Amino acid sequence: MAEVTNLNEAQEAAVAAGLDLERLPAHIGIIMDGNGRWATERGLPRLAGHRDGYKTLRSVLLFANDLGIRYLTVYAFSAENWRRPEDEVHGLMSLIEQAAVDELRVMHQNNVRVRVAGRLNEVPEGLRRALERGVETTAFNTGIVFTLAVNYGGRAEIVDAVRALASEGATPDDITEEAISKRLYNPDIPEPDLLIRTAGEMRWSNFLLWQGAYAELVVADMPWPAFSLDDLVSACIEYQNRTRKFGGVGR
Ligand code: IPE
Ligand code: IPE
Ligand code: MG
């Protein structure tokens, strides 16, 4: 156990709430849902909800980094979200691009390593460049690995991996779980231990389908803009109370 005197503020708060810092989930994935509902309930345009969701993400990311979480992957825009009205899609693309530009310095100062997952060749060029710049600038940072899933679909990712195998001339025997895993968007990032979805929705909406096969699922009731740092700690505590069995009989 780490010396109590060495704990930072985030860790102290989490320990006080009952979290065991020795058994943190290494990789947390979040489906940040409910921005639209949060805004509509307040008589605001949906985009106002996305903007507030961005503030939540900022604080959750920095807190997770302080806590000692190694990997955080968040679902920012799904491969299916293109079905939304054009102004919302455009607003989201602009918001993500602006955030990528504005937050780069803070990410870098906090030793965050930025990664992306998704079909970036299909997003507006400005956004793609902003994301690539973030990835390049922070490539040698050693803090939390923060992956932004943009135009991401779990099925599309598996299709892309199998296509890569086919283009390498793979035979049926070459198609193994390991071979597919190695050709996913970020093969060096370990599978998520904990997947959180907000806004009470009990579905997975095509997020990390392959990697999340044995992740522990936590659904939180509040919409994403209302998700607090305490809620993150609670989700981690819930994770620590689960028994992971991976098909075996457990401990
Ligand atoms: C999640 O919030 C953000 C994105 C999907 C980009 P929603 O926009 O899905 O919010 P609800 O589900 O409509 O409330
Ligand atoms: C999942 O949320 C995608 C993101 C959070 C980016 P959705 O709101 O798009 O999912 P569905 O449509 O409710 O399944
Ligand atoms: Mg939604």
Side-chain angles (χ1 to χ4, degrees):
M1 187 68 189
E3 284 288 319
V4 177
T5 48
N6 290 337
L7 298 187
N8 63 37
E9 217 175 295
Q11 290 170 325
E12 255 173 37
V15 168
L19 191 70
D20 177 356
L21 296 178
E22 301 248 290
R23 295 192 303 119
L24 289 176
H27 183 179
I28 300 177
I30 307 182
I31 302 176
M32 309 180 289
D33 197 19
N35 294 349
R37 274 163 279 179
W38 182 90
T40 306
E41 273 165 22
R42 284 162 181 75
L44 299 168
R46 290 177 58 86
L47 213 51
H50 296 313
R51 274 195 288 269
D52 235 77
Y54 159 34
K55 288 190 206 150
T56 301
L57 173 57
R58 194 179 197 276
S59 59
V60 164
L61 166 63
L62 295 175
F63 182 78
N65 192 27
D66 287 347
L67 214 51
I69 303 293
R70 303 299 308 141
Y71 301 88
L72 177 71
T73 301
V74 301
Y75 211 1
F77 190 90
S78 82
E80 288 73 33
N81 285 148
W82 299 105
R83 292 176 189 153
R84 296 187 176 204
E86 207 181 308
D87 62 337
E88 183 172 349
V89 169
H90 179 77
L92 276 165
M93 292 293 147
S94 305
L95 179 64
I96 301 169
E97 179 176 339
Q98 198 60 52
V101 173
D102 291 350
E103 299 298 338
L104 182 53
R105 214 159 62 100
V106 176
M107 298 291 105
H108 205 31
Q109 278 167 350
N110 282 276
N111 200 20
V112 174
R113 187 170 172 194
V114 179
R115 302 287 289 269
V116 285
R119 288 184 176 163
L120 282 202
N121 56 322
E122 295 170 358
V123 308
E125 200 184 332
L127 170 57
R128 193 179 67 241
R129 280 214 227 104
L131 292 172
E132 283 168 356
R133 178 142 181 262
V135 173
E136 281 162 24
T137 309
T138 62
F140 297 105
N141 287 347
T142 55
I144 194 167
V145 177
F146 170 59
T147 306
L148 205 57
V150 179
N151 190 25
Y152 174 87
R155 290 182 182 176
E157 180 176 32
I158 296 168
V159 167
D160 288 350
V162 175
R163 277 186 186 159
L165 266 170
S167 69
E168 292 162 28
T171 65
D173 281 349
D174 294 330
I175 301 172
T176 60
E177 290 190 13
E178 200 193 354
I180 292 174
S181 295
K182 270 192 195 152
R183 286 159 185 83
L184 297 176
Y185 297 139
N186 290 300
D188 56 321
I189 296 181
E191 293 181 358
D193 303 292
L194 167 62
L195 288 178
I196 301 170
R197 181 170 189 147
T198 56
E201 224 67 80
M202 297 282 189
R203 58 173 170 268
W204 234 249
S205 304
N206 207 10
F207 188 50
L208 301 178
L209 291 184
W210 182 279
Q211 302 90 327
Y214 274 100
E216 293 297 329
L217 312 179
V218 170
V219 172
D221 282 333
M222 70 297 290
W224 177 247
F227 187 82
S228 68
L229 303 179
D230 288 345
D231 294 325
L232 182 73
V233 171
S234 299
C236 290
I237 292 172
E238 191 169 336
Y239 164 83
Q240 292 185 338
N241 289 333
R242 304 273 178 88
T243 304
R244 303 186 79 186
K245 293 165 47 175
F246 300 99
V249 290
R251 47 187 153 87

